[in-house]
């Protein structure tokens, strides 16, 4: 083979190999909307397209407030129809009694938007506008008469919007800074770098970090009125995957194996209690469809210890998801 032809072939093979590596890295990288988020105590991500395809929640009638309807009329954006993926950064607030409460949020939304209409609407209601990194940041005051807080919104591109309700512009600036280097699959916050590797592959929704933040109550985690025997700063990795059914996995990351064993035992006792309560409610107020879905959920739930982790797994019936996605649905058994 001619030397020049051989070199050309080697160059082509090297370029192809580099392309394959780039594609593999891109596939294994966290979603871009999550990589754009600033430093935070927790991250929640959801790809809404599989859920929309499975439940058709975008076709269900929605009761909208006048303000929400005004936003839709002005921008043409119908969130349940137009949002494809969302990522939220949760920030623990130093003053839980402040305008943000115990948790502040920064968000990135990806979907289908009319940028010009959205910009006109934001400009019409903004109390201030800032230019940063070649993007406009619109500040809107939200809240009630007793306490208001700033909500900063910026369009990152034709299909991406960022927002933050933190007291200063630091977080929205960070998102815009990250947007400049978003092409790198290694970009993202320190939390994302440390914990995304624990998220199971092909998860449509996941959460990492101190997931108890939105459910914190007097230092513990309270969900649906049930207080879990876990401190609010417990680290979790939670995920949802569609594997014929919707598979839920929640890992509590303990500091020691012994602590994980205690958490596993306590959570197993709570699961037994929940099953008893669900059975009693089903007898008092029967709701056959919902009862069957909840029973399938609780029967499939398992709690196991894997070294320093307490791991909960369960299968969520699609019928239950459809009921949760439908507005004005009474889910009481």
């Amino acid at each position: 083979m001619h030397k020049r032809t051989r070199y050309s072939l080697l160059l082509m093979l090297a370029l192809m190999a580099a392309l394959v590596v780039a594609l593999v890295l891109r596939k294994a990288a966290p979603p871009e909307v999550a990589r754009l988020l600033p430093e935070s105590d927790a991250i929640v991500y959801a790809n809404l397209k599989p859920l929309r395809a499975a439940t058709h929640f975008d076709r269900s009638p929605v009761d909208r407030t006048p303000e929400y309807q005004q936003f839709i009329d002005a921008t043409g954006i119908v969130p349940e129809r137009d949002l494809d993926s969302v990522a939220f950064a949760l920030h623990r607030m130093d003053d839980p009694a402040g305008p943000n409460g115990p948790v502040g949020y920064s968000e990135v939304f990806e979907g289908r938007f009319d940028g010009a209409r959205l910009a006109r609407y934001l400009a019409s209601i903004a109390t201030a506008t800032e230019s940063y990194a070649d993007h406009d940041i619109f500040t809107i005051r939200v809240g009630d008469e007793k306490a208001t807080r700033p909500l900063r919104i910026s369009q990152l591109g034709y299909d991406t919007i960022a927002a933050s309700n933190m007291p200063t512009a630091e977080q929205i600036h960070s998102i815009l800074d990250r947007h400049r280097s978003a092409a790198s699959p290694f970009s993202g916050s320190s939390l994302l770098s440390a914990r995304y590797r624990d998220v199971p592959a092909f998860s449509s929704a996941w959460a990492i970090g101190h997931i108890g933040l939105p459910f914190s109550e007097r230092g513990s985690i309270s969900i649906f009125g049930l207080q879990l025997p876990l401190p609010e700063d417990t680290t979790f990795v939670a995920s949802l995957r569609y594997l014929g059914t919707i598979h839920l996995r929640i890992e509590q990351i303990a500091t020691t194996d012994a602590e994980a064993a205690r958490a596993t035992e306590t959570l197993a006792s709570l699961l037994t209690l929940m099953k008893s309560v669900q059975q009693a409610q089903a007898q008092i107020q029967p709701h056959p469809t919902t009862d069957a879905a909840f029973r399938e959920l609780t029967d499939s739930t398992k709690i196991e210890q894997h070294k320093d982790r307490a791991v909960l797994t369960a299968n969520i019936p699609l019928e239950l998801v459809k009921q949760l996605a439908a507005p004005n649905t009474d889910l009481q058994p």
Side-chain angles (χ1 to χ4, degrees):
M1 183 182 295
H2 193 277
K3 184 181 293 187
R4 179 175 298 176
T5 303
R6 186 168 61 248
Y7 286 159
S8 298
L9 179 59
L10 290 174
L11 179 59
M12 183 178 67
L13 291 175
L15 291 174
M16 291 177 62
L19 178 60
V20 169
V21 170
L23 291 174
V24 170
L25 289 174
R26 171 65 67 178
K27 191 68 176 178
E32 183 175 353
V33 290
R35 299 202 307 270
L36 294 175
L37 292 173
E39 293 295 322
S40 63
D41 297 286
I43 296 173
V44 179
Y45 165 83
N47 180 354
L48 300 178
K49 289 184 285 187
L51 179 61
R52 186 159 46 229
T55 66
H56 304 293
F57 67 84
D58 55 317
R59 303 178 188 175
S60 302
V62 178
D63 291 332
R64 301 187 176 109
T65 64
E67 295 80 6
Y68 185 26
Q69 188 62 53
Q70 180 184 7
F71 166 80
I72 292 174
D73 293 341
T75 65
I77 299 173
V78 181
E80 57 269 23
R81 180 197 67 196
D82 296 327
L83 286 183
D84 289 335
S85 62
V86 297
F88 297 86
L90 282 62
H91 312 277
R92 189 190 304 276
M93 303 303 295
D94 294 332
D95 180 12
N100 287 85
V103 184
Y105 298 88
S106 299
E107 309 97 12
V108 178
F109 306 94
E110 186 177 67
R112 297 170 296 281
F113 312 118
D114 186 328
R117 289 180 66 180
L118 177 61
R120 287 195 298 270
Y121 173 73
L122 293 175
S124 70
I125 63 173
T127 57
T129 303
E130 175 194 4
S131 180
Y132 182 85
D134 298 325
H135 290 79
D136 289 330
I137 301 174
F138 299 94
T139 300
I140 302 164
R141 303 300 301 186
V142 296
D144 53 30
E145 295 180 355
K146 296 180 179 179
T148 63
R149 58 187 180 276
L151 174 63
R152 296 178 177 87
I153 304 174
S154 181
Q155 296 186 67
L156 306 184
Y158 72 94
D159 63 348
T160 311
I161 300 171
S164 178
N165 69 359
M166 293 293 284
T168 70
E170 177 184 352
Q171 285 73 25
I172 196 76
H173 286 177
S174 175
I175 293 174
L176 290 168
D177 290 336
R178 292 188 192 279
H179 183 253
R180 296 174 177 174
S181 58
S184 169
F186 303 106
S187 61
S189 68
S190 57
L191 173 61
L192 195 66
S193 299
R195 289 295 171 207
Y196 182 71
R197 70 191 67 164
D198 296 318
V199 176
F202 309 113
S203 296
S204 298
W206 48 264
I208 57 178
H210 300 155
I211 307 306
L213 283 177
F215 312 108
S216 297
E217 185 175 323
R218 298 192 181 119
S220 297
I221 300 173
S222 181
I223 300 178
F224 301 125
L226 178 65
Q227 189 174 83
L228 304 183
L230 302 169
E232 63 183 358
D233 59 353
T234 300
T235 299
F236 287 95
V237 177
S239 62
L240 288 174
R241 291 188 294 170
Y242 184 70
L243 303 171
T245 185
I246 299 176
H247 185 71
L248 169 68
R249 181 182 179 90
I250 303 176
E251 296 185 43
Q252 178 206 345
I253 303 175
T255 54
T256 65
D257 292 5
E259 182 183 334
R262 288 192 295 270
T264 301
E265 182 179 356
T266 302
L267 292 174
S269 299
L270 283 176
L271 176 61
T272 301
L273 176 61
M274 287 178 59
K275 288 181 178 180
S276 300
V277 171
Q278 190 272 329
Q279 291 171 359
Q281 289 183 335
Q283 292 176 352
I284 296 172
Q285 189 178 4
H287 192 304
T289 302
T290 305
D291 290 344
F294 272 109
R295 187 165 54 251
E296 183 179 346
L297 170 63
T298 55
D299 288 348
S300 69
T301 302
K302 297 179 181 179
I303 300 174
E304 302 172 322
Q305 180 189 358
H306 295 170
K307 295 185 178 179
D308 63 342
R309 303 191 180 200
V311 181
L312 180 151
T313 58
N315 295 325
I316 303 177
L318 188 58
E319 181 60 36
L320 181 59
V321 176
K322 290 180 179 179
Q323 293 180 50
L324 289 170
N328 303 321
T329 300
D330 183 4
L331 287 177
Q332 295 183 359

